[in-house]
Amino acid sequence: MELNSIIAIKDLHFAYSKNKILDGINFHINRGEVVSLLGPNGCGKSTLIKLMLKLIHANSGEIWLNKKNIKKATHKEIASHVAYIPQYHNVPFNYSVLEMVMMGRVSKLGFFGMPSKKDYDIAHEAMRKIGIESLANKAFGQLSGGQKQMVLLARAFTQEVDTFIMDEPVSGLDYGNQIRLLETISTLSDQGYTFLKTTHYPDHALMVSSRVVVMNGGKIISNGNPKDVINPDMISSVYGVEADFIEHGEHTRCIPVFKT
């Protein structure tokens, strides 16, 4: 295990019945990194996240969280170190934004615990940090997709952790909200927070990542600096398309090449 790693994965294997999904996964996440997990549909990204959160169990291999094997950790212990932020979703009840954000305190209070003033203060501070405090009394179901995703991020902050796992966070968001969410992740990483996020977009991985891990066929095929990992050969091999790369200011852009 790396000395400074928050999460370390060693020789992880997983299969549904005889359908092999993950085949010998090894990588780690260091404190303060933004790691983008990139790869095509069906490559095992979401399965890997479920394993890291102990929602399913590996056939073999190890996952370490803050130097503790998660086999020995309860879900409450995992939630005390890592917050999971799903793709934005609708909820069956018309909760307010504040009520949604307060749900992040469940890992501290238990399902039947009564929140105190401190818990509400933590929720308001989380909304302030994400920039959505003005939405506190709005109905969650009436928000835009981008606003909903920010609420889920604020909810994660109420767990009082500094490591976040995000599964395709920009899925379903319009272009403006995609960029605003990526900018928020970048700003928070500058403050020392750690992110692992799955993505289908090489451009997004180039924009905000300190490291990119590329998966294909249940294996990690590349792991390193975004500009080294995301290149024409990788795009062709993983996605079966051609791409050009251009420099714009401090950033590199991936431009698909249309053949017609």
Side-chain angles (χ1 to χ4, degrees):
M1 181 173 179
E2 297 291 326
L3 292 177
N4 296 319
S5 62
I6 295 173
I7 298 171
I9 296 173
K10 297 182 178 182
D11 197 26
L12 200 65
H13 294 259
F14 181 82
Y16 289 107
S17 186
K18 295 182 179 179
N19 182 23
K20 185 179 289 186
I21 306 297
L22 299 177
D23 186 13
I25 299 296
N26 291 277
F27 81 102
H28 64 275
I29 302 170
N30 293 325
R31 191 171 302 280
E33 286 192 298
V34 178
V35 178
S36 288
L37 198 57
L38 187 66
N41 290 331
C43 72
K45 301 189 301 295
S46 293
T47 298
L48 179 57
I49 283 180
K50 291 177 183 178
L51 289 164
M52 294 167 69
L53 297 170
K54 205 178 177 179
L55 301 177
I56 55 177
H57 300 280
N59 301 123
S60 62
E62 298 178 340
I63 301 174
W64 293 77
L65 174 61
N66 284 336
K67 302 182 181 179
K68 181 175 183 177
N69 194 318
I70 69 166
K71 289 180 181 178
K72 302 176 181 178
T74 65
H75 287 105
K76 186 174 182 179
E77 287 174 322
I78 293 171
S80 71
H81 295 288
V82 177
Y84 171 59
I85 304 163
Q87 299 174 29
Y88 85 86
H89 62 286
N90 292 315
V91 294
F93 303 103
N94 201 25
Y95 293 112
S96 71
V97 167
L98 177 59
E99 289 171 328
M100 285 293 294
V101 173
M102 282 294 294
M103 290 178 190
R105 298 301 293 164
V106 169
S107 63
K108 304 292 184 183
L109 298 172
F111 283 106
F112 302 106
M114 293 299 294
S116 66
K117 179 180 182 301
K118 176 185 175 182
D119 296 306
Y120 280 100
D121 288 344
I122 289 169
H124 281 288
E125 173 60 20
M127 290 188 290
R128 185 201 63 76
K129 183 183 289 289
I130 305 302
I132 60 167
E133 198 169 15
S134 63
L135 301 178
N137 296 318
K138 299 276 189 184
F140 180 77
Q142 296 176 2
L143 301 182
S144 71
Q147 289 173 324
K148 287 178 180 177
Q149 196 66 23
M150 293 299 189
V151 171
L152 297 182
L153 183 54
R155 184 177 70 180
F157 264 94
T158 67
Q159 290 180 223
E160 296 183 290
V161 300
D162 57 14
T163 301
F164 303 91
I165 294 177
M166 308 180 77
D167 191 9
E168 298 180 28
V170 302
S171 178
L173 302 188
D174 65 39
Y175 186 68
N177 280 319
Q178 289 180 16
I179 300 304
R180 280 185 281 275
L181 180 58
L182 292 173
E183 288 175 337
T184 299
I185 292 171
S186 180
T187 298
L188 293 170
S189 71
D190 289 341
Q191 297 172 15
Y193 293 98
T194 304
F195 290 87
L196 170 68
K197 63 180 185 66
T198 65
T199 182
H200 286 300
Y201 301 100
D203 256 1
H204 294 176
L206 284 164
M207 288 169 69
V208 299
S209 308
S210 53
R211 186 155 52 90
V212 171
V213 177
V214 182
M215 292 182 64
N216 198 18
K219 297 178 180 288
I220 290 176
I221 62 170
S222 192
N223 180 355
N225 182 284
K227 290 185 179 182
D228 295 332
V229 167
I230 302 175
N231 56 53
D233 288 340
M234 187 280 285
I235 297 295
S236 176
S237 173
V238 171
Y239 297 103
V241 297
E242 295 181 14
D244 288 334
F245 288 77
I246 61 172
E247 299 293 331
H248 184 268
E250 298 179 357
H251 300 285
T252 301
R253 295 288 185 265
C254 175
I255 309 296
V257 176
F258 288 88
K259 295 182 178 180
T260 57

